[in-house]
Amino acid sequence: MFTSVIQEEVSGCGIASVANILGKSYVEMKAIANGMGIEAEDERLWSDTRYVRRMLSRFGVETSDNELPFESWDSLPDCALLAIKHHREGGRDFWHWVVFRRQDGRVAVLDSAAYLPKNVRTDFESMQPTWFIAVRPIQGRP
C-alpha cells in the first residue's frame, strides 16, 4: 500500500517528495537537506530542479539528466518526480513536486500538500503535469 509523507512547510514539497522516494520522514529529510545547504524557504530553489537531484544522488538514486515532457500517465516510468501546478511569476517558472509510483499493478501519485484530504491520489484527471524527472529507485526499495 502506498503512503505519503506530508510536507511540514508551505514550500517543502521537494523535500517531502524526496522523502517519499527514499522512505524517510519529513523531519529526517529536512535535516539532511539543511546539512547540504538546501532549505525549503530559499526562494532560489523554488524554480530549480538541481536540489532534488542532489538529495536523491546523495543516496545513490539515479535521475534523468533532463526534464521530460509529460505525454500520458501510461508512458511514465515506474517512479517519477512530476511538476504539477506549473505557472510563471516574474519571469520564473514555479511548480509543485509530486511523486508518481507504479508498483504491483497499482498506480498512484504521492502528493505531500498538507491541505489535501488524501495524499495518495488517483484522481489523475485533476492533475495536469507539465514535465517529469525519471527516477530509478534504490535496489530493493519499492
Side-chain angles (χ1 to χ4, degrees):
M1 186 164 169
F2 295 117
T3 59
S4 180
V5 170
I6 308 303
Q7 65 193 68
E8 296 179 11
E9 298 162 282
V10 172
S11 55
C13 61
I15 291 171
S17 291
V18 172
N20 275 319
I21 292 168
L22 296 176
K24 298 192 176 298
S25 72
Y26 187 85
V27 171
E28 287 177 291
M29 198 64 235
K30 180 180 176 178
I32 292 165
N34 291 170
M36 296 173 69
I38 298 169
E39 297 186 20
E41 303 86 11
D42 185 347
E43 291 186 24
R44 294 174 299 173
L45 303 178
W46 296 356
S47 58
D48 190 341
T49 64
R50 288 176 291 180
Y51 75 103
V52 291
R53 294 175 198 275
R54 280 185 45 222
M55 286 187 282
L56 289 168
S57 177
R58 178 172 179 164
F59 290 90
V61 176
E62 296 178 23
T63 60
S64 57
D65 291 334
N66 300 307
E67 295 79 45
L68 305 165
F70 177 83
E71 294 176 9
S72 73
W73 294 102
D74 290 336
S75 66
L76 288 171
D78 290 344
C79 185
L81 279 164
L82 291 174
I84 66 171
K85 299 183 181 180
H86 185 267
H87 61 284
R88 289 187 62 83
E89 287 180 29
R92 285 176 57 195
D93 292 310
F94 292 88
W95 57 86
H96 175 63
W97 286 118
V98 295
V99 178
F100 173 82
R101 294 301 306 258
R102 183 183 296 112
Q103 179 183 342
D104 300 328
R106 293 181 307 162
V107 178
V109 169
L110 310 179
D111 188 334
S112 62
Y115 61 83
L116 292 172
K118 292 183 181 178
N119 297 92
V120 178
R121 298 178 63 179
T122 55
D123 59 327
F124 301 109
E125 67 285 347
S126 299
M127 296 174 275
Q128 297 179 355
T130 307
W131 46 263
F132 69 95
I133 296 172
V135 176
R136 184 176 302 161
I138 300 169
Q139 284 291 354
R141 190 109 177 94

